[in-house]
Amino acid sequence: MVHRVPAERTRQHTTPVAAARRRRLRADRARQLADLLRHQVLGGGFPGGVLPHEEVIGADYGVSRNTVCQALDLLRAEQLVERQPGVGTVVVCQKYPHALDRLRGLAETLHPHGRVTNEVRTISPVPAPGPVADRLRIPPRSEVLYVERLRRLDGLPLSLDLTYVPMHIGLPLLDADLENNDVFRLIEETTGQPLGTAEITLEAVNADAHSAAVLEAPRGTAVLMLERLTHLADGAPVDLEFIRFRGDRLTMRGLLRRTL
């Protein structure tokens, strides 16, 4: 025997489902629009840092004004834009580009955007933890130079760098000007060799209490974690770093080529 669901009950069931689907699709469109606007915001695509009126954005992208408002709300939550009475929606946060396709120190990378300075929080010889010794190809528990630096761009906290360097290379760094120089440059001067390649891993992690305090960021906020093992041109590993970047002040960019 087949039990048929009354048409009225079917309509009662499908109506909220359809409404939820419409809300989801509207949210999808807002997120898609926010992605497109974010690219323009970060790339300086709006003259004077002022976004067009919501109706203009809606016409340009073929979406409703409600969708535009939701997309702008997303960008406001990211603290990229804000609403100013009498002006409109304006860009309030600048992100600085960090290339992923070139091996350069932070000061070299951000030189066009301002002056990078380093606050050396810790510098001392320490026994190499097992994973560090393995990556640097040195005997377990042999000494490495450990350096912890807070790096600022024009005074704003940008990254917290934890660096391990083999002691035969790191020893001269104890007397070097680490406050005003990239470690990369100092390693090349110390070894008399150019750097060659680096293995990198990039992921988002939640800032621990210490990192958040040092970077002046809310505790638990997401930061960009870059793990980088750098080699000299002859292939010898010389620098293992764990770098926490403030994601609201930096964007990673690169040019990738497909090879088969």
Side-chain angles (χ1 to χ4, degrees), residues 19 46 52 85 99 102 112 125 132 185 208 232:
F46 296 112
R102 297 189 65 184
V132 173
R185 176 185 173 190
D208 58 276
L232 292 174

Side-chain angles (χ1 to χ4, degrees), residues 1-185:
M1 179 177 179
V2 177
H3 295 279
R4 298 185 181 279
V5 179
E8 181 63 28
R9 188 187 301 178
T10 301
R11 285 194 295 272
Q12 291 175 354
H13 175 72
T14 58
T15 297
V17 171
R21 183 176 294 114
R22 285 195 297 272
R23 287 195 296 271
R24 184 171 66 249
L25 291 175
R26 190 160 54 242
D28 289 344
R29 289 194 292 268
R31 185 172 60 250
Q32 293 162 3
L33 177 58
D35 290 342
L36 298 174
L37 293 175
R38 185 186 300 105
H39 177 79
Q40 291 183 275
V41 166
L42 298 179
F46 296 112
V50 180
L51 277 66
H53 192 272
E54 287 90 340
E55 292 180 351
V56 175
I57 296 176
D60 287 345
Y61 289 92
V63 297
S64 70
R65 186 171 180 180
N66 284 340
T67 298
V68 175
C69 290
Q70 290 179 359
L72 294 178
D73 284 343
L74 293 175
L75 297 183
R76 274 194 289 271
E78 297 175 25
Q79 299 182 340
L80 292 179
V81 302
E82 69 178 22
R83 183 79 178 177
Q84 292 185 359
V87 179
T89 302
V90 300
V91 178
V92 294
C93 179
Q94 180 180 5
K95 286 193 176 185
Y96 302 98
H98 188 294
L100 287 178
D101 51 4
R102 297 189 65 184
L103 183 55
R104 304 175 70 182
L106 191 65
E108 294 173 313
T109 298
L110 299 181
H111 175 71
H113 305 284
R115 180 169 178 262
V116 173
T117 56
N118 311 309
E119 176 188 332
V120 180
R121 298 177 55 83
T122 303
I123 179 168
S124 65
V126 298
V132 173
D134 289 344
R135 301 290 298 281
L136 293 175
R137 301 181 200 162
I138 58 177
R141 307 299 295 173
S142 56
E143 283 195 332
V144 293
L145 184 68
Y146 172 74
V147 185
E148 180 177 311
R149 295 167 297 158
L150 170 62
R151 315 199 69 183
R152 300 176 184 268
L153 178 64
D154 290 339
L156 291 176
L158 191 62
S159 72
L160 178 63
D161 298 16
L162 281 58
T163 304
Y164 299 89
V165 180
M167 204 60 207
H168 68 281
I169 295 174
L171 189 60
L173 301 184
L174 289 169
D175 297 320
D177 182 11
L178 286 171
E179 293 186 356
N180 297 293
N181 288 286
D182 285 329
V183 167
F184 280 179
R185 176 185 173 190

